[in-house]
C-alpha cells in the first residue's frame, strides 16, 4: 500500500522556531497571562511614578502616620498604620493559601484545592471589606476625589506645624485624588481576582479540571493573584511608609 502524500503545509515542523513546539517551553495560556501582567505592571508603575513626582515636587505632604491612625469601629486615633498593617497581612496570607492551592493542584488533590481556594476568596473579601472601611473613614473626615476637609483645624492635624494653609490645601487635594485613584484601581484588581477565583473554584467543584487531568487554570489565576499582592506591597510602601 503506497504512503499517503502529505502536503508541505500539513507537515509537523520540528525546528525550534517553526511552530512545532514552543521555543520557551511554556504553556500558551500561562505565557499570555505573563504578557497581561507585564502590561498591567506598566500601568501601575505610571500611576506610582505620578504619585512620586507630585509628592516630591511639593513643599509639604500629609503625614501617613497622621492620616492613617484609626482602626475603624474601634479607635479614632492613636494607632498609626495598625489597620493598614492588618490589611496587608490578610492579603499576604491569601497569597500563601493560593500557593497551597496551586501545590495541591499539582498533586491532583481536588479537596485540598477547594479548601485553599475558598480561604483565598475569604482573604480577598476581607481585604476589600477593610479597604471599604478605610475609605469610609477618610470620607467621613472630608477626603474624597477633589475634596478635602473644609475645617482648617481638621486639615492642619495632618501636617507639620507652621505650614501655610494654601500649601496644605494643594497637597491635600493631590493626596486625596492619587490615594483614591490608585488604591481604587488596585481594589478593582482584587475584586476581579476574587470573582475569577470563585469561578475557578466552581469549576473545581464540578470536576472540570479533574476531567482534564490538569489544574493548570488554578496556577494561571495564582499568577494574577500574586501580582495583585506584589503591587500592594509597592502601594503600601509609597502611601503608608515613605
Amino acid at each position: 500500500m503506497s504512503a499517503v502524500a502529505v502536503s508541505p503545509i500539513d507537515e509537523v515542523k520540528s525546528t525550534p522556531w517553526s511552530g512545532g513546539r514552543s521555543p520557551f517551553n511554556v504553556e500558551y495560556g500561562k505565557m499570555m497571562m505573563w504578557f497581561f501582567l507585564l502590561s498591567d505592571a506598566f500601568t501601575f508603575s505610571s500611576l506610582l511614578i505620578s504619585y512620586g513626582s507630585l509628592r516630591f515636587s511639593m513643599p509639604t505632604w500629609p503625614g501617613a502616620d497622621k492620616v492613617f491612625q484609626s482602626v475603624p469601629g474601634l479607635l479614632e486615633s492613636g494607632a498609626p498604620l495598625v489597620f493598614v498593617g492588618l490589611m496587608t497581612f490578610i492579603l499576604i496570607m491569601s497569597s500563601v493559601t493560593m500557593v497551597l492551592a496551586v501545590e495541591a493542584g499539582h498533586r491532583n488533590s481536588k479537596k485540598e484545592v477547594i479548601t485553599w481556594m475558598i480561604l483565598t476568596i475569604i482573604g480577598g473579601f476581607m481585604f476589600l471589606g477593610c479597604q471599604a472601611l478605610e475609605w469610609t473613614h477618610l470620607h467621613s473626615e472630608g477626603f474624597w476625589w477633589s475634596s478635602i476637609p473644609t475645617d482648617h483645624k481638621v486639615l492642619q492635624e495632618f501636617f507639620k506645624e507652621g505650614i501655610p494653609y494654601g500649601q496644605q490645601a494643594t497637597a491635600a487635594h493631590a493626596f486625596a485624588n492619587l490615594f483614591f485613584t490608585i488604591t481604587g484601581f488596585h481594589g478593582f484588581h482584587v475584586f476581579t481576582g476574587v470573582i475569577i477565583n470563585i469561578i475557578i473554584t466552581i469549576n473545581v467543584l464540578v470536576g472540570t479540571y479533574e476531567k482534564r487531568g490538569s489544574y493548570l487554570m488554578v496556577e494561571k489565576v495564582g499568577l494574577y493573584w500574586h501580582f495583585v499582592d506584589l503591587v500592594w506591597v509597592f502601594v503600601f510602601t509609597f502611601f503608608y511608609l515613605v
Side-chain angles (χ1 to χ4, degrees):
M1 186 175 181
S2 59
V4 179
V6 179
S7 63
I9 197 171
D10 292 328
E11 291 180 355
V12 177
K13 307 300 189 297
S14 58
T15 58
W17 292 94
S18 59
R21 60 185 177 86
S22 170
F24 302 109
N25 196 30
V26 178
E27 192 268 339
Y28 175 79
K30 190 185 294 187
M31 181 179 290
M32 292 302 102
M33 177 60 79
W34 277 113
F35 284 153
F36 166 74
L37 296 180
L38 181 61
S39 64
D40 216 21
F42 289 137
T43 305
F44 275 107
S45 297
S46 63
L47 289 172
L48 291 174
I49 289 172
S50 298
Y51 170 85
S53 299
L54 279 173
R55 174 173 179 174
F56 292 106
S57 65
M58 292 188 175
T60 187
W61 198 256
D65 58 334
K66 297 180 179 180
V67 177
F68 307 105
Q69 59 172 320
S70 69
V71 179
L74 294 177
L75 296 172
E76 283 298 317
S77 61
L81 307 183
V82 171
F83 190 66
V84 70
L86 176 63
M87 290 171 57
T88 304
F89 175 77
I90 290 172
L91 198 60
I92 290 175
M93 289 307 298
S94 73
S95 193
V96 172
T97 55
M98 177 58 82
V99 169
L100 294 173
V102 172
E103 190 275 333
H106 289 161
R107 293 186 284 104
N108 292 319
S109 178
K110 179 180 176 179
K111 290 184 178 180
E112 289 187 47
V113 172
I114 293 171
T115 299
W116 295 122
M117 287 298 294
I118 290 174
L119 290 175
T120 302
I121 293 168
I122 291 173
F125 275 126
M126 289 177 65
F127 177 84
L128 290 172
C130 289
Q131 191 168 58
L133 288 173
E134 183 181 56
W135 274 36
T136 301
H137 179 77
L138 287 176
H139 186 261
S140 68
E141 291 187 333
F143 288 102
W144 199 240
W145 276 284
S146 300
S147 178
I148 59 174
T150 55
D151 189 334
H152 294 188
K153 293 182 179 180
V154 173
L155 186 61
Q156 289 173 355
E157 293 177 359
F158 305 113
F159 293 87
K160 294 180 180 179
E161 295 182 2
I163 304 296
Y165 175 75
Q167 293 183 2
Q168 291 179 353
T170 301
H173 271 293
F175 167 80
N177 290 335
L178 287 166
F179 176 81
F180 288 110
T181 298
I182 295 177
T183 59
F185 190 54
H186 177 267
F188 172 74
H189 278 71
V190 175
F191 178 75
T192 303
V194 169
I195 298 301
I196 296 173
N197 285 342
I198 291 174
I199 295 171
I200 297 300
T201 303
I202 292 173
N203 286 337
V204 175
L205 283 167
V206 299
T208 300
Y209 308 125
E210 191 175 29
K211 294 174 184 176
R212 293 180 186 177
S214 171
Y215 286 84
L216 186 60
M217 278 301 299
V218 177
E219 186 173 351
K220 294 175 188 176
V221 174
L223 290 174
Y224 176 83
W225 194 255
H226 297 321
F227 170 78
V228 169
D229 288 4
L230 179 62
V231 168
W232 177 252
V233 172
F234 286 96
V235 173
F236 176 78
T237 302
F238 272 66
F239 276 102
Y240 300 96
L241 295 182
V242 177

